[in-house]
Amino acid sequence: MAREFSTVGVVGLGTMGAGIVEVFARNGIDVVAVEISAPALERGRATLKGSTDRAVAKGKLAEADRDALHERVHFAVGLDALHSVDLVIEAVPEHLDLKQRIFAELDRVCRPETILATNTSSLSVTEISVATSRPNQVIGIHFFNPAPVMKLVEVVRTVVTAPEVVADVEALCARLGKVDVTINDRAGFIANALLFGYLNHAVAMFESHYATREDIDAAMKLGCGLPMGPLALMDLIGLDTAYEILDTMYRRGGRDRRHAPVPLLKQMVTAGLLGRKSGRGFYTYERPGSPVVVPDEATPLATDGALADGARAIAKVGVVGSGTMAIGIIEVFAKAGYEVVSVTRGMEKSAKVCEAVKTSLNKGVVRGKLAEADRDAALGRISWSATLDHLADVDLVVEAVVEELSVKKALFASLDEICKPGVVLATTTSSLPVIDVAMATQRPADVVGLHFFNPAPVMPLVEVVRTIRTSPEATATARAVCAALGKTGVVCGDRSGFIVNALLFPYLNDAVKMLEASYSTADDIDHAMKLGCGYPMGPFELLDVVGLDVSLAIQRELYLELREPGFAPAPLLEHLVTAGYLGRKTRRGFRDHSHR
């Protein structure tokens, strides 16, 4: 039988500590909430009151339940108040010496059978435990912020944590209505080990002026369905906290350069730009602690009219290709009111593309998302062709042919001869260097990347890729076209993976390496990222959907370009691809999909 915890102590009543107090008190457990001083104690009391009052205002907590919750919490200054509790959770700042001092004192104050737990997100639970005479009763219980809302708890056992202590804590998590994943003591555990490499990479992208903060954040929210962009998330976490976590993970986790904090991060922390809590981080906030972003000197100016910044007028668009992306792009342009010339290799393919576009538009009508008149008008704007010569009078060409450089270069050389001067030539490549395609023409200034996401009619993001030869006018034209399509265009440089894939796939690769090292299971890693970070899919779910072969190809491209050892494809990913386990499309990837 699991042990029954009737009284729990919480040390440190900052945002996390106060949230943990609320979680226990909501679930009928008496809590002794401890701080170092009376003012700190009052701040903690106010944090708890504010959170429960908000829950009442939103109808998530009855007034009587709130009052009962507060009755269960006893506030005290000093650790001596914890002499008779069954479990203590420490939630003080991430400094090893501070935590060790607290645990040594708890060891002296608490009863011999009391379990001592740390909420650390990055420090070694083992190193904290050795400050006590009972390391077998020390465990990590890592809640996620905000603790009352987030369902995940990482239960971290050291090599000496007693199995019954682990079992008791797992049962407690279930009583609290949390989903626990039990793991060994390793830098960053699951969620932070996967999350912070990605966040640090996003900061490096911003530091190198590869893309603006707004575009990086929009790309990850719209391209991956994440609840927040990485830079906004850094501001929420606190840049000082993020720096400490990265620095600890770098030192503890084998000195992977991807966890070495980007220099800009240290500079911002030194300058007091800590994120929301200081009112200024990557973004500027209404006041310290406010979530409301206000314009600052880096905020892009709202352009008045589609033809701002020298953008050229676009009325007629050519789309070359007959695959899924080409079909989707034709539909998007036609629905937005553009005249579209669809060019494929041969009239047979042209007929198939025409049929596919009609089918998709008809689905829109059936689902009530498109009026019949609008469908007919969209179809009326499309002309079908099997020769590139029909692109002689278009204003923009979007190429969506096979991802082979030689094919694209040959096509762009032909477009260069056929198209009139001033036409913007766009490639939808997701992995090839746009400059290689541009240099197949005599007009590289007019060539851009327009990377639509699949399915193009649904996905709101387009990556606008400028090469070192792309003119500002061509970039402005591409952005204006995205806006006219009702899409969000994010501008970035011509580097492997652009924004989304460059940030997404190393994170997926890290998850494979974690599984490969037998640190955790695919299910627990997926749970951790969905429940701890609010991701719509876990990494292994996503890899099986994308295709392991596609994922491996993208990761290889990133590694070849950046030569960063941490980007080397995980051997397990290579082995699964070699074995023909490519994900859902072959009914077997990281999971078996044959019965689904």
Side-chain angles (χ1 to χ4, degrees), residues 54-366:
R54 281 194 300 277
V56 169
K58 288 177 179 168
K60 304 235 169 122
L61 189 65
E63 285 190 34
D65 291 338
R66 174 196 61 192
D67 298 342
L69 183 160
H70 285 284
E71 290 279 311
R72 292 188 197 104
V73 184
H74 170 67
F75 289 92
V77 173
L79 299 177
D80 287 338
L82 301 169
H83 57 85
S84 61
V85 301
D86 303 316
L87 164 75
V88 180
I89 297 188
E90 159 278 310
V92 304
E94 290 282 271
H95 301 296
L96 183 61
D97 54 345
L98 171 63
K99 290 183 189 274
Q100 285 178 327
R101 283 202 308 276
I102 287 170
F103 271 72
E105 188 65 11
L106 289 172
D107 191 34
R108 183 187 66 76
V109 168
C110 296
R111 294 175 306 169
E113 64 273 21
T114 301
I115 293 173
L116 306 180
T118 172
N119 182 58
T120 184
S121 58
S122 61
L123 296 171
S124 165
V125 179
T126 309
E127 286 183 48
I128 293 168
S129 76
V130 295
T132 75
S133 61
R134 55 175 108 178
N136 60 321
Q137 280 170 248
V138 176
I139 194 165
I141 305 180
H142 179 218
F143 287 85
F144 286 73
N145 192 21
V149 177
M150 300 300 275
K151 298 289 281 183
L152 182 73
V153 176
E154 289 177 321
V155 176
V156 186
R157 60 181 170 222
T158 72
V159 286
V160 296
T161 306
E164 59 270 21
V165 169
V166 176
D168 290 344
V169 169
E170 288 174 337
L172 176 63
C173 290
R175 181 179 166 189
L176 298 174
K178 301 292 185 186
V179 175
D180 75 89
V181 294
T182 301
I183 43 181
N184 296 326
D185 184 21
R186 185 177 118 168
F189 313 136
I190 297 176
N192 283 355
L194 295 180
L195 178 68
F196 276 85
Y198 150 72
L199 294 178
N200 202 37
H201 189 182
V203 177
M205 217 176 238
F206 175 70
E207 182 187 51
S208 66
H209 302 289
Y210 177 67
T212 65
R213 62 190 181 182
E214 287 85 359
D215 281 358
I216 292 169
D217 279 356
M220 297 315 289
K221 281 172 69 180
L222 301 176
C224 299
L226 302 186
M228 292 182 86
L231 302 178
L233 181 55
M234 283 290 244
D235 276 359
L236 174 63
I237 292 166
L239 274 60
D240 49 346
T241 305
Y243 179 85
E244 292 289 342
I245 290 172
L246 281 164
D247 190 50
T248 304
M249 281 172 50
Y250 175 70
R251 286 185 284 104
R252 279 188 65 209
R255 299 191 177 269
D256 181 344
R257 269 177 46 204
R258 293 185 48 235
H259 292 142
V262 171
L264 176 64
L265 206 49
K266 182 67 181 286
Q267 292 159 21
M268 291 176 77
V269 171
T270 306
L273 307 175
L274 307 182
R276 281 190 193 183
K277 59 187 169 190
S278 68
R280 183 84 192 256
F282 289 102
Y283 295 90
T284 301
Y285 298 87
E286 205 170 40
R287 60 182 180 279
S290 168
V292 180
V293 175
V294 295
D296 58 22
E297 66 282 355
T299 304
L301 295 170
T303 52
D304 46 344
L307 300 186
D309 308 322
R312 300 165 194 165
I314 304 290
K316 195 170 185 181
V317 179
V319 179
V320 183
S322 56
T324 308
M325 282 311 297
I327 291 162
I329 292 166
I330 291 165
E331 179 183 333
V332 167
F333 275 102
K335 282 200 296 199
Y338 289 95
E339 265 192 83
V340 183
V341 181
S342 162
V343 180
T344 58
R345 291 171 64 184
M347 289 314 293
E348 194 180 324
K349 281 197 170 163
S350 197
K352 280 186 180 170
V353 173
C354 176
E355 205 50 48
V357 172
K358 279 181 184 168
T359 302
S360 181
L361 289 169
N362 284 333
K363 275 185 189 164
V365 172
V366 170

